[in-house]
Amino acid sequence: MEEKHREGLMEEKRLFFPPAGFSSNAVIQNPEIYELGQDRTKFWGEQGKRLDWFKPWDKVLEWDRPFAKWYAGGKINAAYNCLDRHLNGARRNKAALIFEGELGDRRVLTYQDLHREVSQFANVLKSYGVEKGDRVTIYMPMIPETVIAMLACARIGAPHIVVFGGFSYEALRDRVLDAQAKVIVTSDGSYRRGNIIPLKENVDQALRTVTCVEKVIVVQRTGQPVEMQEERDVWYHEVIKNVSLVSPAEHMDADDMLFILYTSGTTGKPKGIVHTVGGYMVGVSTTHEWVFDLKDEDVYWCTADVGWITGHSYLVYGPLSNGATILMYEGAPDYPEKDRYWEIVEKYKVTILYTAPTAIRTFMKWGESYPLGRDLSSLRLLGSVGEPINPDAWMWYHKHIGEERCPIVDTWWQTETGMIMMTPVPGITPLKAGSCTIPFPGVHIDIVSPLGNAVPKGESGYLVVRGPWPAMLKTIYGDDKRYEDTYWRQFEGVYFTGDEAKWDDDGYFWVIGRVDDVINVSGHRIGTAEVESALVDHPLVAEAACVGRTHEVKGQAVFAFVSLKEGILIHDELIAELKAHVVLKIGALARPDDIFLTDELPKTRSGKIMRRLLKDIAEGRAMGDTSTLADAAVIDFLKKNINIEK
Ligand code: PRX
């Protein structure tokens, strides 16, 4: 990818060791765990014991490549492991979830509270005929009921599909249809910077042509009027009244589905990534404890929205299975002021903060006066996830948030991997600014050449995972072949991540970025094909091609080239109209930063759009090989007419 970025990375040689006192108190103090991790099944067999099983597994791993069955024969329930098993001892009255609303309202649920509410809601779902295996869509803000709904589904064995509240109704509809959901849990609205996003209205629009959904359960959050369709729609606070507190947790096969989460790939159709109960829970529980050095007294805050995998694994399932106190914040980092995060850290004495590089770069832009004005002395560990963190942002985070006291865990992983795959283990792994360091114990990662051969240290190549790991995806929902082709066929016998990375002489990994047609905008994965199909859906558009362009704060931004149908007159509002169309089809997260109108797109003689050249243009750099172009004049036109300001 970006040459400059790649070179910059390799100049970073400084090592940061854990501060005095950190290692000697750390959960993991012995580097031997890396060696223990070499024996995959023994290592993960040991870790499996950290959870409560209704029936022990017969075999740690059945590997029929590329299909793995972890903890085969075992019976387990994710919600039971997140709740019931904490109820016998002192954790019973410990805060499980501290909620801070955007308007400053606050709720605290102990483990006992959460268990009660989850059990009741599980019974509500059952009363509407939701049975083991039925899918439930959750389209919600960041409020406690979202976690309650997820765990209630897990309790009765109904896979949940959480759809990020920023997705449009069309994106929601596609996901509901693909999963054939029976029930939707939503809220009247969601607060965002003081405005209200009409979630229920979006659900109504999405369901206009959908027949599979039988019930819509609506949480009252904002209180604005919504239309309730008789028979179909019910209020959460009404149906939960007087419901039994007793709800036995379903004994699930380790290999049964826990959830589906949609993510972008190289085609226009999002992929439903399927995660199973046993392996996923062992993977997220182990990594959460070791990577975040979790202690019982920690206040752990993951800022990710629960609509993304980070929210699933490290806001809900990992921390709650470990009996942690989680903090959940509903709103924006700059509402009402730009120090909202630091106000929250100060108020709740947060000890562990897990956020994304795009947020860190935004804070850098706002300036250090905001964190300086707050007491951040409770923090002891910082995390980063979602995209490469550039050394400058890493250093700023280290200095201004961690006050040079807190180790930073830069964690590399994916929706598909379910759990953190590369990361420091903070008591034992020295850090380098901008590197996710080395694979987690029990995870085997390599960098290979285009032919699949391992590349020597100091070189870059494609990032692959050798062999299975417990939280790996089971498949793509309803499409085993796509699972096999996408991940296991590019390089024979290994899992291809879609990323490019480099090793340095110490064996540290430096992730460069995606090599496929996926753009990472503010840590969110967007397929170029999705944005292109949204654009060509507009009646005036003939063709569209999108690429990612380096962006100072977002990491990457969407840059679109569009050719209009013959005879269309260009008018002033057209660009804004096209952008709005993408927002309608997908959501604001996919809105192109720039749309450039052109008569023609550069194509090969066989008619394929040459995205590589468009990317060169968007990045404002020298163009690669143009010899296969059908019409070289197109490129001259684009070069002359595009004026890119970075
Ligand atoms: O390119 C990598 C990047 O995010 C992609 C996965 O995106 P998603 O499935 O949405 O999951 C994001 C949260 C786990 C990867 O293929 N990525 C994620 N974390 C890092 C990263 N790139 C560099 N460093 C990271 N720490």
Side-chain angles (χ1 to χ4, degrees):
M1 212 179 71
E2 286 65 31
E3 265 327 298
K4 198 169 140 257
H5 177 54
R6 186 183 296 176
E7 280 162 18
L9 285 180
M10 298 311 287
E11 282 157 19
E12 215 26 84
K13 300 242 185 283
R14 287 170 290 186
L15 277 179
F16 294 80
F17 290 91
F22 190 97
S23 296
S24 55
N25 280 314
V27 171
I28 297 298
Q29 302 179 10
N30 191 346
E32 234 182 36
I33 53 150
Y34 284 114
E35 269 144 59
L36 296 177
Q38 294 299 324
D39 186 339
R40 188 192 319 263
T41 39
K42 188 155 178 249
F43 177 82
W44 288 113
E46 272 309 304
Q47 292 313 314
K49 296 178 194 156
R50 63 172 45 243
L51 298 179
D52 282 10
W53 296 78
F54 301 123
K55 176 180 171 287
W57 58 88
D58 303 320
K59 214 167 161 204
V60 174
L61 174 64
E62 274 177 16
W63 181 221
D64 180 12
R65 201 165 64 195
F67 297 96
K69 274 192 182 162
W70 282 91
Y71 308 102
K75 295 268 188 196
I76 187 168
N77 184 285
Y80 183 93
N81 273 282
C82 289
L83 301 169
D84 304 51
R85 69 182 186 134
H86 304 310
L87 298 185
N88 293 328
R91 277 189 188 150
R92 187 157 71 110
N93 293 316
K94 177 179 173 176
L97 194 165
I98 301 174
F99 167 72
E100 164 96 0
E102 191 175 78
L103 305 179
D105 48 326
R106 187 171 74 95
R107 263 171 82 188
V108 180
L109 287 104
T110 64
Y111 271 95
Q112 204 164 223
D113 291 332
L114 197 55
H115 176 261
R116 191 178 55 245
E117 302 226 7
V118 166
S119 301
Q120 284 188 299
F121 194 57
N123 284 330
V124 169
L125 289 174
K126 272 190 171 167
S127 73
Y128 293 129
V130 179
E131 289 175 7
K132 182 181 167 192
D134 287 339
R135 276 85 52 217
V136 174
T137 297
I138 299 176
Y139 183 60
M140 295 273 275
M142 283 281 283
I143 56 175
E145 285 79 4
T146 311
V147 177
I148 293 168
M150 289 167 79
L151 292 174
C153 289
R155 193 163 192 88
I156 61 174
H160 55 68
I161 297 106
V162 183
V163 178
F164 172 55
F167 276 118
S168 71
Y169 78 83
E170 294 209 10
L172 171 66
R173 183 193 55 207
D174 294 346
R175 285 154 178 77
V176 169
L177 278 176
D178 189 76
Q180 286 292 298
K182 195 169 186 177
V183 168
I184 298 187
V185 187
T186 188
S187 72
D188 46 1
S190 150
Y191 291 115
R192 192 69 186 173
R193 293 198 177 86
N195 299 321
I196 289 177
I197 300 167
L199 295 184
K200 172 63 167 63
E201 204 179 299
N202 288 351
V203 169
D204 291 340
Q205 300 239 46
L207 294 190
R208 269 194 311 216
T209 50
V210 171
T211 52
C212 57
V213 173
E214 295 168 14
K215 270 283 171 248
V216 178
I217 306 174
V218 189
V219 176
Q220 197 165 44
R221 172 64 188 143
T222 53
Q224 95 267 24
V226 292
E227 240 174 69
M228 296 292 277
Q229 193 173 308
E230 223 179 310
E231 305 275 304
R232 192 194 67 184
D233 303 348
V234 293
W235 287 107
Y236 179 99
H237 61 271
E238 285 175 3
V239 294
I240 199 108
K241 263 191 221 151
N242 304 324
V243 170
S244 162
L245 306 180
V246 183
S247 161
E250 188 76 33
H251 291 203
M252 307 282 285
D253 281 343
D255 190 43
D256 277 338
M257 199 181 346
L258 175 60
F259 63 83
I260 307 171
L261 185 60
Y262 284 84
T263 190
S264 297
T266 49
T267 72
K269 190 174 176 295
K271 302 178 280 198
I273 303 298
V274 173
H275 281 289
T276 55
V277 190
Y280 175 80
M281 288 302 289
V282 175
V284 298
S285 172
T286 311
T287 47
H288 180 262
E289 187 195 12
W290 293 13
V291 173
F292 296 103
D293 188 48
L294 186 78
K295 311 278 167 51
D296 230 347
E297 55 282 6
D298 276 314
V299 177
Y300 166 86
W301 182 17
C302 165
T303 66
D305 192 284
V306 61
W308 308 113
I309 191 69
T310 307
H312 283 59
S313 301
Y314 298 106
L315 178 68
V316 179
Y317 289 109
L320 294 178
S321 68
N322 290 330
T325 295
I326 62 171
L327 192 132
M328 183 178 198
Y329 170 54
E330 179 184 33
D334 56 350
Y335 191 84
E337 297 296 336
K338 293 192 171 75
D339 68 346
R340 186 64 188 272
Y341 272 22
W342 320 125
E343 183 202 356
I344 293 173
V345 169
E346 181 181 77
K347 180 169 169 188
Y348 297 104
K349 303 217 176 333
V350 172
T351 56
I352 303 169
L353 174 69
Y354 190 29
T355 194
T358 182
I360 298 162
R361 289 190 296 262
T362 306
F363 299 139
M364 276 172 84
K365 226 170 104 181
W366 291 343
E368 61 244 33
S369 65
Y370 294 102
L372 265 179
R374 296 285 177 178
D375 178 6
L376 305 184
S377 61
S378 57
L379 287 171
R380 63 179 197 88
L381 184 73
L382 303 174
S384 172
V385 60
E387 51 176 316
I389 178 164
N390 44 313
D392 280 355
W394 196 100
M395 290 307 298
W396 190 91
Y397 197 28
H398 184 62
K399 184 162 178 212
H400 296 291
I401 308 304
E403 298 169 347
E404 296 182 351
R405 175 185 71 245
C406 307
I408 296 179
V409 288
D410 173 13
T411 61
W412 178 92
W413 59 294
Q414 309 179 297
T415 306
E416 293 88 339
T417 69
M419 65 185 231
I420 293 170
M421 301 290 274
M422 289 199 282
T423 176
V425 176
I428 55 174
T429 320
L431 315 172
K432 290 189 188 185
S435 164
C436 57
T437 72
I438 54 177
F440 189 80
V443 172
H444 305 271
I445 291 190
D446 238 330
I447 299 179
V448 299
S449 68
L451 292 176
N453 303 316
V455 305
K457 284 182 182 165
E459 291 187 16
S460 65
Y462 301 106
L463 194 67
V464 298
V465 185
R466 289 203 185 277
W469 63 98
M472 66 191 281
L473 71 165
K474 177 178 174 163
T475 187
I476 293 173
Y477 188 62
D479 202 344
D480 284 351
K481 183 165 180 317
R482 190 175 175 198
Y483 162 70
E484 201 164 349
D485 290 348
T486 310
Y487 302 109
W488 296 92
R489 285 243 178 273
Q490 316 253 352
F491 299 102
E492 213 34 60
V494 294
Y495 168 91
F496 178 45
T497 62
D499 277 5
E500 185 187 14
K502 190 156 187 164
W503 305 44
D504 68 14
D505 295 335
D506 299 328
Y508 274 45
F509 287 76
W510 302 79
V511 174
I512 297 163
R514 304 283 309 188
V515 286
D516 52 8
D517 292 325
V518 171
I519 310 179
N520 192 329
V521 180
S522 301
H524 301 150
R525 248 164 92 166
I526 295 166
T528 48
E530 281 173 86
V531 186
E532 287 162 7
S533 50
L535 284 165
V536 295
D537 179 75
H538 190 281
L540 304 185
V541 173
E543 257 188 325
C546 296
V547 294
R549 174 153 78 96
T550 311
H551 187 281
E552 199 189 338
V553 174
K554 300 191 221 176
Q556 284 189 299
V558 181
F559 194 102
F561 297 83
V562 168
S563 68
L564 299 174
K565 287 186 181 150
E566 203 107 20
I568 302 291
L569 282 184
I570 297 176
H571 57 87
D572 286 351
E573 279 86 49
L574 189 60
I575 300 284
E577 195 179 307
L578 294 178
K579 287 185 184 179
H581 197 69
V582 175
V583 175
L584 173 80
K585 301 296 285 184
I586 306 174
L589 71 164
R591 182 194 285 119
D593 271 33
D594 303 274
I595 294 185
F596 184 78
L597 299 179
T598 170
D599 286 344
E600 292 284 341
L601 291 167
K603 291 188 186 151
T604 60
R605 277 170 214 116
S606 58
K608 267 186 86 175
I609 296 173
M610 293 184 73
R611 276 197 189 69
R612 182 174 51 78
L613 294 185
L614 293 175
K615 180 139 175 90
D616 290 340
I617 294 172
E619 296 285 10
R621 67 186 171 209
M623 205 144 315
D625 180 13
T626 54
S627 58
T628 52
L629 261 177
D631 178 4
V634 176
I635 284 293
D636 291 338
F637 171 82
L638 289 172
K639 275 202 298 196
K640 261 195 229 117
N641 289 281
I642 293 194
N643 189 5
I644 293 167
E645 284 169 32
K646 291 222 169 158

